[in-house]
Amino acid sequence: TLNIAPGEYEISIFADYIHGVSDQNTITIQSSTGDSSDVILKGKSDNSNLFEFEGVHYLTFQHLTFSNKGRGSYSNVFETNGGMRNFAIRNSHFKADYSTSTSSSYSAIQMYDNYDDIDSIISIENNRFDQYARAIYMVFNNSYRGYDISIQGNTLDTTLGGIQVDYGENVSIIGNEINGLDSNTTATRDLIRMTSCYGEVIITDNRI
C-alpha cells in the first residue's frame, strides 16, 4: 500500500507492466488519512493525462482527489489502452475545469483497447465526478472485450456525458446518480449508453 501524505501533487505517470503483482500481492494507492480531500493529484499541463496504463494488473486507487484542466488534446485523468485486470477506483473525487467538448479526450476515465488483450474485473465505485465532458468512457472491441465490469454508487455532476460501455461482457451499472447536466449545449449527450454488450448485463437503481 502506498499512503500519500496530505498535499497537492502535479503528476503524469505512464506504466505498461508492473512486476510481481498477484491476487496475493496487490497495489493500493490512497490518501494516508483516508480523506479524499487531503490529497489532490493534478495534471501538469492542459495536454497531460494524469495516468496512462497498458497491461497493468491488481491496482487500486482510493480516497483521492484528481484534478485536471480538461482543456487540451490529452486531458484524461485515467487513460488505459488495454490489458487491464483487477483494476479499481473507489471513494475518490474527480474534479476538472468545465469543458463544453464531448470528446473522449476530456474524460475522467477512458478505457479502450489498443493493446490486443482483454480487460477484466474493472471496478469504478463510489466516486464523484464534476465537470467532465465524459465521466466514464469504456470502448472495447469485439475481439478484445471488457469483462466483469462494475460501475456502482457513483455521482456525476455537471458533466456533458455520463457512462458509456461498448463491447463489455458481464456489466453492472447500479445505483449511480447523474445530475447537473449542462443544458447550454446542442451536443448529443448519452447519460447511460451500452453498445454490443453480452453475458449478464444489469442496469438498475440509477437516478437521473
Side-chain angles (χ1 to χ4, degrees), residues 4 27 32 35 44 84 91 96 105 126 148 159 163 170 192 203:
I4 304 177
I27 298 172
S32 63
D35 185 339
K44 287 187 174 182
M84 303 294 292
N91 302 301
S105 296
N126 303 315
D148 301 320
T159 60
I163 299 167
N170 302 331
I192 298 177
I203 305 175

Short mmCIF file of all heavy atoms in Angstrom, two decimals, residues 4 27 32 35 44 84 91 96 105 126 148 159 163 170 192 203:
data_model
loop_
_atom_site.label_atom_id
_atom_site.label_comp_id
_atom_site.label_asym_id
_atom_site.label_seq_id
_atom_site.Cartn_x
_atom_site.Cartn_y
_atom_site.Cartn_z
N ILE A 4 -0.26 8.29 0.59
CA ILE A 4 0.23 9.60 0.16
C ILE A 4 -0.10 10.63 1.24
O ILE A 4 -1.25 10.74 1.68
CB ILE A 4 -0.40 10.01 -1.18
CG1 ILE A 4 -0.14 8.93 -2.23
CG2 ILE A 4 0.14 11.35 -1.63
CD1 ILE A 4 -0.79 9.22 -3.57
N ILE A 27 -1.51 -3.80 -5.30
CA ILE A 27 -1.05 -2.43 -5.05
C ILE A 27 -2.25 -1.54 -4.80
O ILE A 27 -3.20 -1.52 -5.60
CB ILE A 27 -0.24 -1.89 -6.24
CG1 ILE A 27 1.00 -2.74 -6.48
CG2 ILE A 27 0.15 -0.43 -6.01
CD1 ILE A 27 1.74 -2.38 -7.75
N SER A 32 -3.21 8.99 2.91
CA SER A 32 -2.77 8.44 4.19
C SER A 32 -3.79 8.66 5.30
O SER A 32 -3.80 7.92 6.29
CB SER A 32 -1.42 9.05 4.61
OG SER A 32 -1.56 10.45 4.81
N ASP A 35 -9.06 10.43 3.81
CA ASP A 35 -9.94 11.53 3.38
C ASP A 35 -9.51 11.96 1.99
O ASP A 35 -8.38 12.42 1.81
CB ASP A 35 -9.84 12.69 4.37
CG ASP A 35 -10.82 13.82 4.07
OD1 ASP A 35 -11.29 13.92 2.92
OD2 ASP A 35 -11.09 14.61 4.99
N LYS A 44 -0.12 18.06 -15.08
CA LYS A 44 0.97 19.02 -15.21
C LYS A 44 0.68 20.12 -16.21
O LYS A 44 1.26 21.20 -16.15
CB LYS A 44 2.25 18.29 -15.61
CG LYS A 44 2.87 17.48 -14.49
CD LYS A 44 4.21 16.93 -14.90
CE LYS A 44 4.90 16.23 -13.74
NZ LYS A 44 6.25 15.75 -14.12
N MET A 84 -5.95 -4.37 -18.97
CA MET A 84 -6.10 -4.06 -17.55
C MET A 84 -6.87 -5.18 -16.85
O MET A 84 -7.93 -5.60 -17.34
CB MET A 84 -6.82 -2.73 -17.37
CG MET A 84 -6.15 -1.56 -18.07
SD MET A 84 -4.54 -1.15 -17.39
CE MET A 84 -5.00 -0.55 -15.78
N ASN A 91 -14.13 5.51 -4.04
CA ASN A 91 -14.23 6.52 -2.99
C ASN A 91 -13.32 7.73 -3.26
O ASN A 91 -12.65 8.24 -2.35
CB ASN A 91 -13.87 5.90 -1.63
CG ASN A 91 -14.77 4.73 -1.29
OD1 ASN A 91 -15.98 4.86 -1.20
ND2 ASN A 91 -14.16 3.55 -1.11
N ALA A 96 -12.65 18.66 -12.60
CA ALA A 96 -11.96 19.30 -13.73
C ALA A 96 -12.54 20.67 -13.99
O ALA A 96 -13.65 20.99 -13.57
CB ALA A 96 -12.08 18.45 -14.99
N SER A 105 -11.35 12.80 -25.18
CA SER A 105 -10.10 13.32 -24.64
C SER A 105 -10.31 14.22 -23.43
O SER A 105 -9.34 14.76 -22.89
CB SER A 105 -9.34 14.08 -25.73
OG SER A 105 -8.96 13.22 -26.77
N ASN A 126 -18.36 4.26 -6.07
CA ASN A 126 -18.49 5.27 -5.00
C ASN A 126 -17.58 6.48 -5.20
O ASN A 126 -16.98 6.98 -4.25
CB ASN A 126 -18.23 4.61 -3.63
CG ASN A 126 -19.16 3.46 -3.36
OD1 ASN A 126 -20.37 3.54 -3.59
ND2 ASN A 126 -18.61 2.35 -2.90
N ASP A 148 -16.49 -8.41 -16.85
CA ASP A 148 -16.74 -8.27 -15.41
C ASP A 148 -16.48 -6.83 -14.95
O ASP A 148 -15.54 -6.55 -14.20
CB ASP A 148 -15.88 -9.26 -14.61
CG ASP A 148 -16.17 -10.70 -15.01
OD1 ASP A 148 -17.35 -11.03 -15.23
OD2 ASP A 148 -15.21 -11.49 -15.11
N THR A 159 -21.72 17.21 -15.90
CA THR A 159 -20.97 16.59 -16.98
C THR A 159 -21.78 16.69 -18.26
O THR A 159 -22.98 16.90 -18.23
CB THR A 159 -20.68 15.10 -16.69
OG1 THR A 159 -21.91 14.41 -16.55
CG2 THR A 159 -19.85 14.95 -15.43
N ILE A 163 -22.09 7.65 -18.61
CA ILE A 163 -21.42 6.34 -18.56
C ILE A 163 -21.62 5.65 -19.90
O ILE A 163 -22.74 5.52 -20.38
CB ILE A 163 -22.03 5.47 -17.44
CG1 ILE A 163 -21.83 6.14 -16.07
CG2 ILE A 163 -21.42 4.08 -17.46
CD1 ILE A 163 -22.64 5.52 -14.96
N ASN A 170 -20.65 -9.11 -19.09
CA ASN A 170 -20.95 -9.14 -17.66
C ASN A 170 -20.70 -7.75 -17.06
O ASN A 170 -19.67 -7.49 -16.42
CB ASN A 170 -20.14 -10.20 -16.92
CG ASN A 170 -20.35 -11.59 -17.47
OD1 ASN A 170 -21.42 -11.91 -17.99
ND2 ASN A 170 -19.34 -12.43 -17.37
N ILE A 192 -26.50 7.13 -20.01
CA ILE A 192 -26.00 5.75 -19.89
C ILE A 192 -26.13 5.12 -21.27
O ILE A 192 -27.21 5.04 -21.83
CB ILE A 192 -26.80 4.93 -18.86
CG1 ILE A 192 -26.66 5.54 -17.46
CG2 ILE A 192 -26.32 3.49 -18.85
CD1 ILE A 192 -27.47 4.82 -16.40
N ILE A 203 -28.61 -3.16 -15.32
CA ILE A 203 -28.73 -1.72 -15.18
C ILE A 203 -29.93 -1.47 -14.27
O ILE A 203 -31.07 -1.70 -14.68
CB ILE A 203 -28.92 -1.02 -16.53
CG1 ILE A 203 -27.81 -1.37 -17.49
CG2 ILE A 203 -28.98 0.50 -16.34
CD1 ILE A 203 -27.99 -0.80 -18.89
#
